[in-house]
Amino acid sequence: MFRYLSILFISVFIGEGVYAMQAPKTVQVSGKISDEATGQILQGASIYFPELKKGVVSNDKGIYQINIKPGNYIIEVSYIGYSLQTITLSIPTNLEKDFFLNHAVLENTNVTVTSFLRTTSSKKTPTPISIIKKEDFFKGVSTNLIDALSKTPGVTQLSTGPAISKPIIRGLGYNRVVVLNDGVKQEGQQWGDEHGIEIDEYNVARTEVLKVPASIIYGSEALSGVINITSNVPVAEGALRGNVFSNYQSNNNLQGYHFDIAGNKNGLVWGLNASSKKASDYKNKYDGYVYNSKFSELNGGGFLGVEKDWGYSHLIINKFSQKLGMIEGTRNNLGQFTKETIMNGASGNSIAEVPATDADFNSSTPNIPYQYIQHTKYILDNSINWGTGKLKANIAYQRNQRQEFGNIEMPTEKSLYFDLGTLNYSFQYLLPETNNWKHTIGVNGLQQENKNKGVEALIPEYKSVETGLFFYTQKHIDKFNFSGGARIDKKGIEFNGLQKNYGDIAGSFGLTYEATNDLIFKFNIARGYRAPNLSELGSNGAHEGTNRYEYGNTNLESEKSLQFDAGVEWSNEHISFTGNAFYNNVTNYIFYQKLIGAHGGDSIINKEGKDYYAFAYHQQDAKLIGAEFNLDIHPHPLDGLHIENTVSIVNGTFKKALAGSINLPTIPSMRWITELRYELPKNTGNLKNSYASLQFDNVAAQNNPFTGYNTETKTPGYTLINIGAGTHITNKGKQLFSISLVAQNLTDIAYQSHLSRLKYTDENILTGRTGVFNMGRNYSLKINVPLQFD
């Protein structure tokens, strides 16, 4: 790894030398930032150029000044308590530009998108994309990052209790979704049901969700979409800012804390962050406390870099550490959750099942079985002005260590221990913009090796190499914006003496038409693909967390998808509407199914005295169709009132029925979220940006599960009522802290999500109910104290 970092550091210095020899000129952008309504100057407002990762703050007279290379840029202007302003400017020479910010109740819909290599306006992107900002996370309630994203239209979660969630985009998940963190593809055993993503929820600054095949840019596994997470954002020149954050949740006594600080002085940027989170067992009306649903986290990291006229170079280091219990759902005849314990007897020690105690429920230390996960990342992110274009280079090394402890007699024995090391690389050259053409060429890929260090091996050890070459372009013509390109990929996997090779071509074409300033039409067609993962190819063992014995299939072929998207966006001063519809045809869709025994019943494997249902991986052509709609009404004269409705629908079917069922597995139910939110249009005393909300989260029944081989069952619908309120506390115009109060599942409904794996744990003999239910009523209190030493 250090050899690669040395090469890249040398390239940075060469780039600086080339840039200095060419001596390109810089231009100065300056102006004043003020309140649009009152004309009051805004000291400490931020002017940020996302593509350059460079910015500045306004001084005590509201004046800003920054030197940049001539070109076309998207600029973000922000100030605490004001709506973010995003504009696109051509800056060929020195420019004076004043900005006027307001407290508009309608959030600026023209936001910045960074997932398409070049910083782009959301109005010009033909693909459906959702932006979730840090303030959005602050107003919600979640126990992990994907849980926080699960209310995004088209996004759901496959969960195993409060600590483990996997993203599902438009009905597709697992290795079909790429998760990026600070430009690096997250690699951490994402094939497994009980394997979440290892990213610190409290350190996320912004998230972009692309809901289309994005294989053209991000490679094989971006078949259904991309979740692009930004954690480390350098602050503006001359700024020293940070946050102290805390979160308490009542249901499982969750206690979370976070601290971050970042500075920028004469182009030297740095930042530090640390987080902790711990929770005991959660509870609901039917199950009471759910034994071993507890977890704890301890995370930290930082970055150090330089920002100069030649570009920037950032070194980022992050460490994620989590311990979490594995919920088995075993209960006795009295309906009490039980745990294994060692009993001392005259004839020796024996293992017995005894009821879990209050001390067990209230502890935040997981009991056997549990997982201990560590994920460490080293990232070197660079952008160099090379000639008249720009070279972006990102090299990263990440190590994922996942240990599972399941032997009550030998508690330190590692039943499973996956040690995965991955070297990621990405090099892109952004050609200079010519006649409204923006071309980008690039190469990215990875090399990884997974070792088994436990006493059992669910999947074999393997080595994998991926590489891909792509071309992506954008063109602006009058009211039209076009984008598209192509990619060719190669992937090789070596395991158990076998060498499997895959390769394919991806492509996309899209356009947007700005009929008026308020009305935009979008269309996109994309071809994606996904090579089988190692679990699908080579697994052969008991999967403790799923009660399955899994068999891989070395004859699997790559999945291929062809997806069509059409969308419309319309807004005025008091109404905004967004609608997207899609059709996705997937060839060779990979899924697992129960095996049938010799006498027609379930095939059951007995391993070390425990029975497991036998599953194997198969393929079948499939199709998915669905839509997402968002309608936000804020009628005059009640400008602070929002009536927002979000609907997500997806239907997935096989081309041919399997065991009497035509429906795809893990397809979410229709969801309709209605939120009434009132934002005080005026500040009152020391209170600023105050709001209150009432939300109805309606989830329809899933009456079309994949019932083949008894894989899934129907799931009733439910409605959750959530309420929330929040405000900024200020003193003499300076924000002291923010507070958020939320009650989730206010009426304490007992429900099971269709995508909760706990739905299929053991039957409660006392009540006759199968599986474990989701979390009951939960109150949340969040407090954030901003730190500012500009």
Side-chain angles (χ1 to χ4, degrees), residues 531-581:
N533 62 49
L534 204 282
S535 174
E536 295 162 340
L537 291 169
S539 61
N540 186 2
H543 208 164
E544 297 282 354
T546 62
N547 200 33
R548 294 198 306 260
Y549 193 99
E550 296 182 355
Y551 293 99
N553 182 352
T554 58
N555 296 318
L556 295 175
E557 300 179 15
S558 294
E559 293 179 336
K560 301 177 179 65
S561 75
L562 184 64
Q563 180 167 314
F564 299 86
D565 279 88
V568 60
E569 296 180 5
W570 177 78
S571 64
N572 64 17
E573 187 179 358
H574 296 290
I575 299 176
S576 62
F577 172 79
T578 301
N580 294 286

Side-chain angles (χ1 to χ4, degrees), residues 34-40 42 82 99-104:
S34 56
D35 186 303
E36 184 176 47
T38 65
Q40 176 187 358
L42 299 178
Y82 288 76
F99 294 98
F100 302 93
L101 302 184
N102 60 62
H103 300 273

Side-chain angles (χ1 to χ4, degrees), residues 631-664:
L631 176 64
D632 188 358
I633 303 172
H634 29 278
H636 185 76
L638 299 175
D639 292 334
L641 176 64
H642 288 255
I643 306 171
E644 186 170 4
N645 289 272
T646 301
V647 179
S648 301
I649 307 169
V650 61
N651 176 261
T653 57
F654 291 107
K655 295 293 181 68
K656 297 180 181 179
L658 291 172
S661 179
I662 199 171
N663 303 302
L664 293 185

